[in-house]
Amino acid sequence: MKITIPVSLIAADSDARTISGRIVTWGEVGNTSAGKTLFAKDSIALKPVKLFIDHNMDKPIGKVLDFDAHDEGIDATFKIANTQRGNDALVEAMEGLKDGFSVGIKLSEYDNTDEGLVVKNSQLIEVSLVESPAIDSARVSEVAASDDPTNEQEGSDMTETPELQTENEVSVEAAKVEASVKPTSAPVFTSPRVDTNVTAGQYVHAQIKAQRGDTDARDLVAALEVATVAENTGMVPPNYLRDIIGIIDDSRPFINSIERAPLPPSGMKIFTPKLGTQATVAVTAENAEFDSTDTTVTFQEDNVIKMAGAGIISVELLDRSEPSFVDLYLRELSASYAQKTDQYASQIASQNASASSGASVYAAIADGISDSYGVMRFTPNRLLVAPSGGTNNIDFAGLLGAVDSAGRPLYAAALPQNANGLISQGSTAGTVAGLSLVVDPNYTGDDLNAKHALVYPSAAMRFHESGTVQLRANVVANGQIEIGIYGYIAVVNRYPTAFRKLAVA
């Protein structure tokens, strides 16, 4: 079992390209990848390790020079490589931008208590620089950033102590590693010996078993959390979520037609700068004062919301069925999550849109294109319609059935001289008046009934979403199991009136 625990740096000094500080404090509770955790005195066996950024094990930035295990905890000094990543790490540590330590250990002996997980015996496998500390008393004491050997002698006496000493009299001379010897990597020290290639259903099974005290399941859950945070940052989902993310992304036609962006790492609001009063230019006579206007910038405020859903199943169904049943159940939850998020975003677009109309369907679309262009100076590129039931029959069924005065199809046309667009038979793909067609079964309009066709540019709205949805499983009353899925989203409607509701006058 691998545990990572972030702690804080104390200070920064720029003389000898070293970073020093407390990497762990005995007996103090911190939040780790395994939950609340505290380390018993002398519970970490030390060995030469490398220093990484945010547990990215592919790119070390330095190596340990010295450990000092004492009654309060463990202090360490690391030599930072003269690389761009190393230089950036030194600057970020000195500026207080990335001033935390996080240790990774291989857990071998522990107790579960009311305070949390008590580590009794473990092996240090790596240390990383991180942004957010969990133990306030563990801080960096010095950062030294010069390559000059003289400065190293004067700036820090910690760099002259190569021996590592533990309570078990284990001594390793880290400073005497020959530069010509290429270091080897042993998987046991860089990742837990747990197969993390599991399905979402198997992950939920492991969560339930871990709550019941199964150590193997607990190891798997901890390993997956480490892999998710340390190896799959940003928008890349871990293996056990890829099928679910695929279902969600394929089930949101409207969201896929607008701009996408990740959510900020914290906060329940998004603030987007907006230009208020704009600068002006005018014809100006010779020696006359320039025409000027104070430009103002305001901020649009949008809420971050949580989309969540759960269901309760019997413990017998969970225990006596294959994980494939849970996979199927999670796929159904994922499809519902996709539909609700897509519906939420499309309703915001429809509620704030302005009207455009014309004497015919085609004239209404042309008017919508012109009006939308006047708002953003961006040519609109999308036409959103519902499968059926749209206002004035401007929907997918209406477009497929539209004909000219001679009864010839206007959009599902086989001959180009007859067409105002081209919708492929047997699919929802196509173009109408040069706009990419978006047929959305999740779209219910602004009042849940009026399914207005919308003309809009993709850049008019931006959809923010957390990197991955989260799975949660809990044992509830009567031994039943609750399985849930949730994620955080925000919709930024940058130009509401660039969305045009179409109507036939």
Side-chain angles (χ1 to χ4, degrees):
M1 181 177 183
K2 179 181 176 182
I3 291 180
T4 58
I5 179 168
V7 295
S8 289
L9 311 177
I10 287 180
D13 181 351
S14 56
D15 292 328
R17 299 194 65 83
T18 60
I19 294 180
S20 306
R22 179 73 53 81
I23 64 171
V24 71
T25 300
W26 308 131
E28 187 167 341
V29 177
N31 292 315
T32 75
S33 59
K36 290 186 176 181
T37 303
L38 60 88
F39 289 82
K41 187 175 181 295
D42 302 324
S43 59
I44 299 180
L46 301 176
K47 60 177 293 179
V49 294
K50 292 183 174 64
L51 185 66
F52 300 91
I53 296 290
D54 295 326
H55 302 287
N56 184 348
M57 309 294 285
D58 294 331
K59 298 179 179 179
I61 62 167
K63 64 181 181 180
V64 68
L65 289 180
D66 175 75
F67 284 124
D68 179 19
H70 48 79
D71 290 340
E72 295 183 2
I74 300 175
D75 296 333
T77 297
F78 298 90
K79 180 69 174 179
I80 306 302
N82 189 12
T83 63
Q84 186 60 50
R85 292 193 306 274
N87 296 336
D88 291 344
L90 288 167
V91 172
E92 289 178 335
M94 288 187 294
E95 296 293 336
L97 301 177
K98 194 178 289 290
D99 57 352
F101 275 133
S102 180
V103 299
I105 64 167
K106 181 182 179 185
L107 184 63
S108 56
E109 186 178 352
Y110 60 91
D111 286 333
N112 282 313
T113 69
D114 293 339
E115 292 183 280
L117 186 72
V118 178
V119 177
K120 300 176 67 177
N121 190 14
S122 64
Q123 174 74 57
L124 183 66
I125 57 177
E126 56 97 2
V127 180
S128 288
L129 283 174
V130 296
E131 294 179 13
S132 302
I135 296 182
D136 291 335
S137 62
R139 307 280 180 177
V140 164
S141 59
E142 183 177 4
V143 176
S146 172
D147 263 332
D148 185 58
T150 304
N151 287 341
E152 290 189 18
Q153 295 285 343
E154 296 174 355
S156 175
D157 57 2
M158 296 183 73
T159 61
E160 298 298 321
T161 312
E163 293 188 351
L164 311 178
Q165 193 72 28
T166 69
E167 288 293 320
N168 297 325
E169 301 298 319
V170 178
S171 177
V172 181
E173 297 188 33
K176 293 184 179 180
V177 177
E178 294 293 337
S180 61
V181 179
K182 183 178 180 180
T184 58
S185 59
V188 67
F189 300 129
T190 58
S191 61
R193 283 183 173 177
V194 177
D195 181 10
T196 57
N197 188 23
V198 297
T199 66
Q202 291 170 328
Y203 172 61
V204 169
H205 269 259
Q207 282 189 321
I208 296 298
K209 290 180 180 178
Q211 293 180 38
R212 295 174 174 176
D214 188 305
T215 57
D216 291 337
R218 187 178 294 147
D219 289 351
L220 174 59
V221 172
L224 287 171
E225 288 179 353
V226 170
T228 302
V229 174
E231 299 167 14
N232 295 285
T233 57
M235 298 297 289
V236 181
N239 288 337
Y240 67 89
L241 283 180
R242 285 179 183 165
D243 289 343
I244 288 178
I245 297 299
I247 292 171
I248 292 173
D249 282 347
D250 290 342
S251 306
R252 303 193 293 195
F254 176 72
I255 289 175
N256 291 337
S257 73
I258 58 177
E259 288 188 351
R260 300 279 298 274
L263 271 178
S266 62
M268 293 303 292
K269 290 184 181 295
I270 289 182
F271 297 92
T272 304
K274 293 182 64 176
L275 192 63
T277 304
Q278 298 183 358
T280 59
V281 174
V283 176
T284 305
E286 184 178 358
N287 298 323
E289 182 180 356
F290 286 7
D291 183 71
S292 63
T293 303
D294 290 337
T295 302
T296 60
V297 176
T298 60
F299 287 89
Q300 176 176 323
E301 180 180 318
D302 295 284
N303 293 324
V304 176
I305 67 164
K306 180 175 68 177
M307 283 286 187
I312 296 177
I313 64 175
S314 68
V315 67
E316 291 83 4
L317 184 58
L318 182 77
D319 289 342
R320 305 300 298 173
S321 66
E322 294 293 331
S324 57
F325 166 78
V326 182
D327 282 318
L328 176 63
Y329 187 78
L330 289 171
R331 286 196 291 269
E332 292 296 320
L333 275 177
S334 302
S336 179
Y337 176 89
Q339 293 162 12
K340 296 303 181 183
T341 52
D342 196 54
Q343 184 182 91
Y344 175 77
S346 61
Q347 284 181 7
I348 290 176
S350 182
Q351 287 168 358
N352 297 281
S354 295
S356 295
S357 63
S360 64
V361 171
Y362 193 84
I365 294 173
D367 191 59
I369 293 173
S370 176
D371 291 342
S372 178
Y373 179 78
V375 174
M376 287 184 63
R377 305 298 191 269
F378 284 7
T379 303
N381 60 343
R382 305 286 186 176
L383 171 63
L384 174 69
V385 297
S388 61
T391 301
N392 297 134
N393 293 322
I394 311 179
D395 51 29
F396 188 51
L399 294 175
L400 286 175
V403 297
D404 64 8
S405 58
R408 296 175 299 181
L410 287 176
Y411 300 105
L415 298 177
Q417 70 269 21
N418 190 46
N420 293 327
L422 181 60
I423 300 175
S424 301
Q425 293 284 6
S427 77
T428 58
T431 60
V432 176
L435 305 174
S436 295
L437 184 63
V438 180
V439 181
D440 192 353
N442 308 317
Y443 177 45
T444 56
D446 55 359
D447 59 3
L448 303 183
N449 292 308
K451 301 174 184 177
H452 296 282
L454 296 180
V455 168
Y456 57 97
S458 296
M461 178 180 283
R462 185 167 57 240
F463 181 77
H464 293 262
E465 189 169 31
S466 52
T468 60
V469 296
Q470 302 293 318
L471 301 179
R472 287 293 179 265
N474 297 296
V475 180
V476 295
N478 302 322
Q480 293 177 308
I481 308 299
E482 182 182 51
I483 300 175
I485 182 174
Y486 73 93
Y488 294 95
I489 66 170
V491 174
V492 178
N493 197 5
R494 301 164 63 194
Y495 297 93
T497 56
F499 288 89
R500 312 302 300 188
K501 297 179 184 178
L502 303 185
V504 178

